[in-house]
Amino acid sequence: MSSSPPQPPNLLNLYNLGCHYMESCDYAKALSHFSTAASYGHPLSCHNLAVMQSQGLGCAINNEEAIKNFKTAAERRFPESQYSLAILLKNHHHDIETAKELLESAASQGHVAAAYSLG
């Protein structure tokens, strides 16, 4: 008799709990919930996890991990992640060309700050 594979956790619930803990400044719990959902590729959780990593909320500042998580969400065309990733790449890696491409993609989806950054 074969057993069925374990079901992934409810990613939306994990994301919502992470947001709740983030709003109440319980960064350790927020980080835990976002990390779990992000490990399954949940784009909003990847984005929020990256924000926490880039700002040192509940963890040490880790721009490399933030870039990885912003990239996961940006690849799913989440404009806020595209914008945030562009800023990190421009400021920390001096990757102007990739940053410009990300800003253009975010701007084309109506992201005002990305459009403003392009001039």
Side-chain angles (χ1 to χ4, degrees):
M1 179 163 124
S2 74
S3 62
S4 56
Q7 293 294 313
N10 185 318
L11 302 181
L12 184 58
N13 283 347
L14 285 170
Y15 169 75
N16 287 332
L17 281 168
C19 289
H20 166 75
Y21 290 124
M22 184 92 156
E23 290 172 5
S24 62
C25 299
D26 190 340
Y27 298 128
K29 286 183 181 174
L31 191 72
S32 173
H33 285 83
F34 290 143
S35 293
T36 301
S39 72
Y40 288 92
H42 186 261
L44 296 173
S45 295
C46 290
H47 176 81
N48 284 2
L49 177 59
V51 168
M52 295 184 77
Q53 292 166 328
S54 68
Q55 296 178 11
L57 301 174
C59 60
I61 291 175
N62 187 335
N63 286 322
E64 296 309 311
E65 282 298 308
I67 286 171
K68 181 182 89 172
N69 285 301
F70 278 136
K71 185 176 182 186
T72 298
E75 287 171 345
R76 290 172 174 81
R77 298 198 36 85
F78 185 56
E80 186 64 29
S81 289
Q82 291 173 329
Y83 173 75
S84 298
L85 178 58
I87 299 304
L88 274 177
L89 290 175
K90 186 174 112 183
N91 293 340
H92 295 283
H93 289 268
H94 307 290
D95 186 349
I96 305 302
E97 190 59 36
T98 302
K100 183 179 180 209
E101 291 170 10
L102 288 162
L103 290 171
E104 288 170 347
S105 180
S108 74
Q109 296 174 74
H111 195 281
V112 175
Y116 182 79
S117 294
L118 289 167

